Amino acid sequence: MKLIRPHRKFIQSYIEAIEEDELFRPNAEMIFSEPETIIERSYNFEHGINLPINYVRATAFWLIDKEKFIGEINIRHELNSFLINYGGNIGYEIRHSECFKGYGTKMLSMALIYCKETLNLNKVLITCDDDNIGSIKIIETNGGILENKVKNSLLRGNIITRRYWINI
Ligand SMILES: CC(C)(COP(=O)(O)OP(=O)(O)OC[C@H]1O[C@@H](n2cnc3c(N)ncnc32)[C@H](O)[C@@H]1OP(=O)(O)O)[C@@H](O)C(=O)NCCC(=O)NCCS
């Protein structure tokens, strides 16, 4: 199992994961998107090239196991006024067919090493919906300490967001 930058070798597997999203998570806010440009967009985000206004630099990793795309994790290098309430430093998704196998927990623990060793962060903010049991367990298993819950008004409606810090 490894974390790699998005790579064309796994694009077909990534496309299959998008198809799973369309089938099983049709209305959810998902990370996997636009396979035609994902590699270039990820590179640009990591290197701060053509960042949309109010966006910060971010590194995307793909979790690969047995030559299959399993999931993606996005690590934002810093927080801005939006991310501090919603979004945090890290967002992730595991493809539907590979859920409940421990991949989400493992992917976050691997990403935290990058946060510490490469980005020199000593703590990260991770947020999730108050009813996202899978994500809550992933964060708490990785040492997340709940700071508070805040209300956010988003396009998908009013939600309660849990805000966790992980000291690394
Ligand atoms: C949330 C998500 C990342 C979980 O990934 P995963 O690989 O299934 O997570 P794990 O297998 O490591 O499971 C961690 C724990 O959560 C539990 N869990 C996972 N999904 C769950 C769900 N939908 N409902 C209840 N419990 C769940 C697992 O049973 C496991 O429990 P345990 O620690 O007691 O054994 C995945 O469902 C997903 O990508 N969802 C859509 C995107 C998303 O919500 N991203 C997070 C945004 S903050």
Side-chain angles (χ1 to χ4, degrees):
M1 193 186 320
K2 58 187 175 185
L3 283 184
I4 63 159
R5 303 289 193 298
H7 194 285
R8 65 178 187 281
K9 182 177 176 193
F10 300 102
I11 281 288
Q12 187 51 42
S13 189
Y14 181 72
I15 290 170
E16 288 158 15
I18 293 174
E19 288 165 358
E20 288 176 16
D21 269 359
E22 287 163 359
L23 208 56
F24 298 107
R25 298 165 171 161
N27 301 314
E29 189 181 85
M30 289 302 138
I31 287 178
F32 311 153
S33 70
E34 300 176 48
E36 308 80 15
T37 55
I38 180 69
I39 293 170
E40 186 188 356
R41 273 188 295 126
S42 302
Y43 181 90
N44 286 349
F45 260 100
E46 182 169 352
H47 296 90
I49 301 166
N50 298 331
L51 283 185
I53 197 150
N54 292 332
Y55 278 66
V56 301
R57 284 174 63 181
T59 305
F61 286 112
W62 283 0
L63 183 70
I64 305 294
D65 195 22
K66 301 182 187 81
E67 296 299 295
K68 185 177 182 184
F69 170 84
I70 304 292
E72 179 173 324
I73 190 156
N74 290 322
I75 303 162
R76 295 171 276 272
H77 298 189
E78 59 186 292
L79 297 169
N80 59 22
S81 56
F82 175 73
L83 295 171
I84 201 90
N85 276 323
Y86 182 78
N89 287 103
I90 301 181
Y92 44 81
E93 181 181 353
I94 295 294
R95 68 189 292 172
H96 182 269
S97 61
E98 297 293 339
C99 279
F100 291 101
K101 298 181 183 177
Y103 281 126
T105 305
K106 184 69 186 161
M107 183 165 71
L108 178 58
S109 75
M110 293 164 86
L112 291 174
I113 296 170
Y114 171 82
C115 292
K116 185 183 172 80
E117 295 184 352
T118 304
L119 298 180
N120 294 316
L121 298 174
N122 54 24
K123 61 176 186 171
V124 291
L125 177 70
I126 310 189
T127 66
C128 70
D129 287 8
D130 194 37
D131 60 358
N132 191 336
I133 297 169
S135 197
I136 289 168
K137 285 191 171 184
I138 288 171
I139 298 167
E140 292 185 351
T141 302
N142 277 288
I145 311 281
L146 182 67
E147 179 174 289
N148 59 6
K149 299 183 188 185
V150 295
K151 287 183 190 161
N152 276 301
S153 296
L154 305 172
L155 287 174
R156 62 186 167 95
N158 295 326
I159 55 152
I160 296 179
T161 303
R162 287 184 177 223
R163 298 175 65 258
Y164 285 93
W165 291 97
I166 300 182
N167 292 313
I168 45 178

